[in-house]
Amino acid sequence: MRHRVANSLQIIASILLLKAGSVTSEETKKELRAAHQRVMSGAAVQGHLQASDGIEQIEIGPYLTKLATGLASSMVGPKQSIDIKVVSDSGALPTSHAVSIGLIVTELIMNSVKYAFPQPRASARIRVTFEKAGADWKLTVSDNGTGRRQSHEPSMGLGTALIAALAKQLDSVIAEESTTRGLTVEVTRASFVSRLPHAA
């Protein structure tokens, strides 16, 4: 069943990409390409779950690293160099929680790649950190880009709504800090004090 789902996601992604190439509206092209990236991230998550068939807990560090590597190879073009790295505490989470966190990370990395670096720069970086203490955890995705500007995704965009819904499922809260040195988004379950460095 998981194999069929993965194949279906690949087919849907291909259709979206073909449709994006055939429409004339730039706005529609953007939306179709964004939808393609979301489907591809879902396919990546599904592929990881297929490799972990029968496992109720997933090691979060390797999982997020694989996800970020896949996004970097599919989204970062040859004209832009963005260093995307994951730093994570060891430990496992229930599969359902890991999937939701993976989708949040996907949305946040996509936003940073698309909006944080309007001009190519050699030092561009995105950092994903995951810290765990018992049942509590903190996910941080930060970049050293231009911060949130008018060119960024609107505050009530699809990606923002998706992140909010996933965070609610995880009983976590979202905090955002935007400066001229970059954007940092934190998703925290319970009270947590960060130890790991951010991009800015």
Side-chain angles (χ1 to χ4, degrees):
M1 177 61 72
R2 283 180 177 171
H3 184 66
R4 288 183 180 179
V5 170
N7 283 344
S8 297
L9 289 171
Q10 292 286 355
I11 291 168
I12 293 167
S14 298
I15 291 170
L16 287 169
L17 202 56
L18 285 170
K19 191 65 179 174
S22 65
V23 297
T24 55
S25 166
E26 283 303 315
E27 186 177 348
T28 304
K29 278 183 190 289
K30 276 186 178 179
E31 291 299 324
L32 287 169
R33 284 173 181 154
H36 169 262
Q37 289 294 341
R38 289 186 174 97
V39 173
M40 288 302 291
S41 73
V45 169
Q46 186 67 27
H48 193 92
L49 293 180
Q50 190 173 333
S52 309
D53 195 18
I55 298 175
E56 295 181 359
Q57 300 265 329
I58 291 182
E59 280 291 328
I60 193 69
Y63 168 67
L64 291 179
T65 298
K66 183 176 180 181
L67 196 60
T69 300
L71 287 168
S73 62
S74 65
M75 288 198 68
V76 180
K79 294 182 179 179
Q80 170 65 301
S81 175
I82 303 176
D83 181 35
I84 303 177
K85 285 185 180 174
V86 174
V87 179
S88 174
D89 286 343
S90 60
L93 291 178
T95 300
S96 59
H97 291 192
V99 168
S100 295
I101 289 169
L103 291 171
I104 290 172
V105 168
T106 297
E107 286 294 329
L108 293 175
I109 289 178
M110 282 172 55
N111 282 346
S112 287
V113 170
K114 287 194 293 184
Y115 303 118
F117 310 104
Q119 300 298 325
R121 49 190 281 197
S123 60
R125 62 183 179 270
I126 298 169
R127 292 291 179 265
V128 179
T129 63
F130 189 86
E131 303 169 76
K132 193 173 184 299
D136 296 338
W137 50 260
K138 182 172 189 175
L139 168 73
T140 304
V141 179
S142 60
D143 63 60
N144 64 338
T146 58
R148 191 176 288 282
R149 296 278 193 268
Q150 282 188 322
S151 61
H152 277 63
E153 182 175 318
S155 60
M156 292 306 293
L158 176 59
T160 302
L162 178 60
I163 291 168
L166 291 167
K168 186 176 180 182
Q169 282 182 359
L170 292 164
D171 294 322
S172 58
V173 295
I174 304 170
E176 177 183 300
E177 181 182 4
S178 178
T179 71
T180 54
R181 296 188 301 130
L183 178 69
T184 297
V185 179
E186 299 173 338
V187 183
T188 309
R189 181 183 173 95
S191 177
F192 206 101
V193 179
S194 288
R195 295 176 286 104
L196 300 177
H198 299 166

